[in-house]
Amino acid sequence: QVQLVESGGGSVQAGGSLRLSCAASGYTSSDYCMGWFRQAPGKEREGVALIYNGYFSTYYVDSVKGRFTISQDNAKNTLYLQMNSLKPEDTAMYYCAAGHTYCSSSYRPPVADFGYWGQGTQVTVSS
């Protein structure tokens, strides 16, 4: 059974940094897209940063390019999201997700393609 467990959320002031972690277990697919989604109150869930097969290619939504970095430590089965220069508009619940789907620097699959989700971790950025 696939399990994704996030950690690392919290409250910071604008301009600060946080690193989210997602410990994955039970995932055996050789072709997968993993990544981070976020959902703010009253808004749809959006893919923020994705990585294909652990290292091949990465996707970032325009609003976080140059500030967020996704990475994966395959030895530890852990996915990370380093978030720098945080803005109040980054405030949301952040979710780790995985799916048997393709993603690339120019292609973000729909949310429905991701069948496995963590419980979420809250990120709050104050001005």
Side-chain angles (χ1 to χ4, degrees), residues 2-3 13 15 18 21 29 42-44 75 77-78 89 97 114 116:
V2 176
Q3 283 193 319
Q13 290 190 329
L18 285 173
S21 299
S29 174
K43 294 189 177 181
E44 293 187 353
N77 291 325
T78 302
E89 51 263 44
F114 293 83
Y116 305 102

Side-chain angles (χ1 to χ4, degrees), residues 16-37:
S17 298
L18 285 173
R19 189 176 81 155
L20 306 183
S21 299
C22 173
S25 61
Y27 204 85
T28 59
S29 174
S30 60
D31 293 296
Y32 61 92
C33 179
M34 287 190 72
W36 294 93
F37 290 71

Side-chain angles (χ1 to χ4, degrees), residues 52-94:
Y52 182 64
N53 278 5
Y55 61 91
F56 276 118
S57 59
T58 55
Y59 166 90
Y60 295 97
V61 70
D62 285 346
S63 59
V64 308
K65 284 180 179 178
R67 301 188 297 121
F68 290 11
T69 302
I70 188 171
S71 62
Q72 186 167 340
D73 185 332
N74 290 326
K76 296 181 179 179
N77 291 325
T78 302
L79 185 72
Y80 301 99
L81 184 67
Q82 178 66 43
M83 304 185 295
N84 298 328
S85 302
L86 282 161
K87 304 176 180 180
E89 51 263 44
D90 294 318
T91 295
M93 184 71 78
Y94 283 71

